[in-house]
Each structure stands twice: as structure tokens, then as C-alpha cells.
Amino acid sequence: MTNERRFEELLTEFKRVGVDLDSFPAGIGVHRDDALRILRLLPDGAGPAAFLSRVRYEQQATSRSGDGDALTAAG
């Protein structure tokens, strides 16, 4: 799958869940594959709190080394 296709898939899932990327909290980093997996687990309209809660839960459960493929609001 191309990077462009994966990015569009992520945007679609964020929109479906109700996460507005323009108001995504700074400093939150999520590996792209993890973000997509988490989003797919959430129901339509779950909202940003549900997404962030799941991200925090998974980050506490497992620590992942950064490979430059993480999504961050800080850029």
C-alpha cells in the first residue's frame, strides 16, 4: 500500500471516529500503524477522547522505539 493511500485511509478513519486533526493535542505521538488499528477498533463518532484514551492505554502497555514513522501534532 502506498504512503498516500495509507494517509488517506488514516484521514478517513479519523473523520469517521470524529477526531478533528486541526485540534489534535500537541505532543501526542502515535505510530501510523497503531493509529489506524486503534481507529478501526472505535465505533463511529467515538470522538477524540476515546481515541486518546486508547492511545494512552496502549502506550502504557507497550513502549515502541521511534523509527520516524510516527504521527505527531508537534510536527
Side-chain angles (χ1 to χ4, degrees), residues 1-12 32 36 40:
M1 180 180 308
T2 67
N3 282 337
E4 184 177 324
R5 173 77 174 120
R6 290 174 79 189
F7 182 71
E8 289 197 18
E9 207 172 343
L10 269 171
L11 290 179
T12 299
R32 181 174 50 197
L36 189 54
R40 287 179 174 159

Side-chain angles (χ1 to χ4, degrees), residues 11-72:
L11 290 179
T12 299
E13 285 296 308
F14 275 120
K15 185 180 278 189
R16 179 189 66 77
V17 171
V19 176
D20 178 10
L21 293 178
D22 291 329
S23 62
F24 199 74
I28 299 292
V30 181
H31 192 273
R32 181 174 50 197
D33 293 335
D34 292 339
L36 189 54
R37 182 177 44 74
I38 290 167
L39 288 164
R40 287 179 174 159
L41 292 172
L42 297 172
D44 292 355
F51 175 70
L52 292 174
S53 175
R54 186 64 192 201
V55 166
R56 288 183 187 116
Y57 170 81
E58 293 206 8
Q59 285 178 340
Q60 289 173 354
T62 27
S63 174
R64 187 176 202 149
S65 64
D67 63 355
D69 199 17
L71 299 173
T72 63

